[in-house]
Amino acid sequence: MGKWLTELDQLLRGEHTRKDDLRAGRVGLPARRLAVLGIALGLVYGAGMGLFAATGGREHAWRHLVASAAKLPLLFGLTLLVTFPSLYVFAALANSRLRVRETLRLLVAAITVMLGVLASFAPVTVFFTLSTDSYRFMLLLNVVFCGLAGLVGLGFLFRAVNLVFPDEAGAEEGRRARRIFRVWLLLFGVVGAQMAWILKPFVGNPQLPFAWVRDSRGSSFFEFVLRSITDNWR
Amino acid sequence: MIAPRLDVEGLLRGEGLHRVGGGRPLLGRLVLTLALGGALYGGVMGAFGLNAEQALYSAVKVPLLVVVASLVCLPNFWVVNLVLGLGPDFAAAWRGLLSAQATLAVALASLAPVTAFFYASTDSYDFAKLLNFAVFGVATLAAQRTLARHYRPLLARDRRHAVALLAWPALYFFVAGQLAYVLRPFIGNPRFDTTFLREHWWGNVYGDLLWAVRGL
């Protein structure tokens, strides 16, 4: 346990992503250990998220908890799986100095940072779960936490990308590579949002029965957001 | 894994076997890369609505489209180069074009998971069409990187390469557009039967386009 926390501590402090190493195109992160750590952190926050549906004397309470806990790491893993090949191909075309492994390591690290931030919010989620019964509030709270975690992960990734592709040397190449990472981030966000939509429920609407995954074919996250906005304006 | 043997990494970076100015085209390697990448994307492209038969057909048709369109345009490209007095550079130019096609196929293959994912989350055929347009557009842009890399030294040597570089896409996209029309369907409209080619496969895409414009 202590060893893992040290690992997380080092990652968050940026000791794995030191300036000199990144400048030289070296990403010496222990990817496998970070992936395991990320999964553990995801389980923690997922369980915190699922607690809302597991309390309140509802049927299959434990299943809710297990389902949310398992689905959160899955969400990030699957999103990475879908978006990684294209990122790698386009980065290589832009003469990125990072090879396949290094690119993957960097992304695993950024995702682990995100999950670390999320896990740190877990006690807050649990606290609110135990003190409120508003589903909408819990939904909003979780969206805010995910958004914040996303921003921190984004900051981590951009700091690293800016160091790997510095402005001075090979300005054109660097600019191109950074642009590709930026576009990829957009793709990651879009796929991630839709992935979450497919894997829902995470919080669990108390009015609906338990389901490991709800049937969401024929609808999308973006449609939902658009409809929510237009419905409120009318 | 076959990717290292084909040196896909080198192709994307313009290094190793695929370094610019490396002599004769690596015909076998590039065509195999093109065929595999195209087949992978075609297989996913045709899998809309989990239609295995269409997936198989499209896996054949996507590489076919790229290879046949290139072969049809090759003689003209050769002549254009000769007329411009660029004969000695032809091998390098052809190598650049083939490398660009192979890059297109690799970029397509790398986007296959994205297409598969969106297929899994929508039933909308129109969305599938738009998605594939976007994917092909992005992959074409990716191919331009490789083409530009190969043409940089050629352009530095002789400005007339710029003309050849304009002539190729003009003819290629003209031919590929019609060929794609003949080889349709690629995605497979779920309302129609699955066939290798449409019953009325012949026709002219540009004529149809003109009709469509008149119909507005």
Side-chain angles (χ1 to χ4, degrees):
Chain A
M1 185 74 188
K3 197 182 81 190
W4 291 104
L5 283 178
T6 316
E7 194 73 65
L8 178 63
D9 183 76
Q10 284 178 340
L11 175 69
L12 293 177
R13 284 173 194 274
E15 284 175 19
H16 286 312
T17 44
R18 281 205 206 91
K19 219 179 233 177
D20 304 336
D21 288 344
L22 288 176
R23 284 253 157 103
R26 279 196 303 268
V27 184
L29 292 156
R32 240 172 253 167
R33 249 184 299 160
L34 283 184
V36 174
L37 183 65
I39 292 172
L41 293 167
L43 285 173
V44 170
Y45 187 74
M49 236 177 172
L51 191 66
F52 179 74
T55 54
R58 288 165 60 187
E59 279 179 45
H60 308 303
W62 282 102
R63 281 202 211 165
H64 270 293
L65 201 67
V66 172
S68 295
K71 282 191 290 183
L72 198 79
L74 200 65
L75 165 66
F76 285 87
L78 288 177
T79 307
L80 184 62
L81 196 72
V82 168
T83 55
F84 180 71
S86 42
L87 169 73
Y88 176 67
V89 164
F90 284 86
L93 274 173
N95 288 57
S96 156
R97 260 183 283 162
L98 303 178
R99 301 267 149 174
V100 188
R101 271 158 203 267
E102 277 107 33
T103 314
L104 190 61
R105 276 185 200 149
L106 195 62
L107 296 179
V108 168
I111 288 176
T112 306
V113 167
M114 261 185 240
L115 288 167
V117 174
L118 270 182
S120 76
F121 281 131
V124 184
T125 307
V126 170
F127 168 70
F128 275 100
T129 298
L130 297 177
S131 54
T132 180
D133 55 4
S134 162
Y135 169 64
R136 281 181 175 252
F137 176 79
M138 288 312 295
L139 205 58
L140 198 65
L141 188 71
N142 279 297
V143 168
V144 170
F145 285 168
C146 288
L148 287 174
L151 283 180
V152 176
L154 193 136
F156 175 89
L157 189 64
F158 271 13
R159 180 184 157 274
V161 167
N162 284 339
L163 284 173
V164 175
F165 309 109
D167 238 339
E168 318 96 56
E172 180 57 32
E173 305 268 281
R175 213 174 305 131
R176 201 177 285 135
R178 269 177 283 155
R179 205 182 303 142
I180 281 169
F181 270 88
R182 234 168 278 153
V183 172
W184 176 79
L185 215 68
L186 193 72
L187 183 69
F188 186 83
V190 169
V191 171
Q194 179 63 17
M195 190 69 84
W197 185 258
I198 292 180
L199 290 177
K200 76 187 177 350
F202 284 92
V203 180
N205 188 337
Q207 281 162 1
L208 296 174
F210 170 79
W212 290 103
V213 176
R214 274 202 221 302
D215 184 18
S216 54
R217 272 194 79 83
S219 66
S220 75
F221 171 78
F222 309 98
E223 236 171 277
F224 170 76
V225 171
L226 212 65
R227 211 175 320 129
S228 313
I229 295 170
T230 48
D231 283 357
N232 281 325
W233 275 96
R234 239 175 262 149
Chain B
M1 274 300 283
I2 196 153
R5 200 166 296 172
L6 292 174
D7 196 12
V8 173
E9 169 117 35
L11 172 68
L12 296 175
R13 294 174 183 275
E15 292 170 355
L17 287 173
H18 295 279
R19 72 190 179 283
V20 175
R24 286 193 321 124
L26 310 160
L27 202 59
R29 274 205 175 78
L30 289 174
V31 170
L32 195 59
T33 308
L34 177 56
L36 289 178
L40 185 70
Y41 189 76
V44 170
M45 188 183 190
F48 185 66
L50 290 178
N51 187 341
E53 203 185 336
Q54 182 68 53
L56 193 68
Y57 291 158
S58 298
V60 176
K61 286 198 283 185
V62 170
L64 202 65
L65 170 67
V66 184
V67 170
V68 173
S70 302
L71 286 180
V72 168
C73 298
L74 179 61
N76 174 264
F77 184 62
W78 187 53
V79 169
V80 167
N81 274 275
L82 288 185
V83 168
L84 289 169
L86 302 170
D89 284 341
F90 183 72
W94 176 231
R95 181 186 169 124
L97 282 181
L98 258 185
S99 302
Q101 313 277 36
T103 306
L104 172 87
V106 171
L108 281 178
S110 80
L111 287 163
V114 178
T115 301
F117 171 69
F118 280 104
Y119 275 9
S121 54
T122 181
D123 291 327
S124 162
Y125 176 63
D126 286 326
F127 180 79
K129 270 198 288 194
L130 285 178
L131 177 69
N132 278 290
F133 264 114
V135 166
F136 271 86
V138 169
T140 306
L141 284 181
Q144 295 308 311
R145 266 292 288 163
T146 300
L147 191 61
R149 205 181 270 147
H150 279 269
Y151 256 89
R152 202 172 301 138
L154 297 182
L155 283 167
R157 211 177 304 157
D158 194 332
R159 289 301 304 166
R160 278 174 294 179
H161 275 292
V163 180
L165 203 49
L166 277 179
W168 170 265
L171 190 65
Y172 180 81
F173 286 113
F174 183 67
V175 170
Q178 169 66 8
L179 190 58
Y181 180 86
V182 169
L183 286 176
R184 80 198 187 282
F186 284 90
I187 303 172
N189 190 333
R191 283 182 303 163
F192 294 152
D193 291 336
T194 306
T195 50
F196 188 76
L197 297 178
R198 285 257 178 271
E199 197 183 339
H200 302 288
W201 58 267
W202 64 91
N204 184 315
V205 66
Y206 303 105
D208 273 14
L209 275 179
L210 202 65
W211 273 110
V213 172
R214 273 194 204 156
L216 291 176

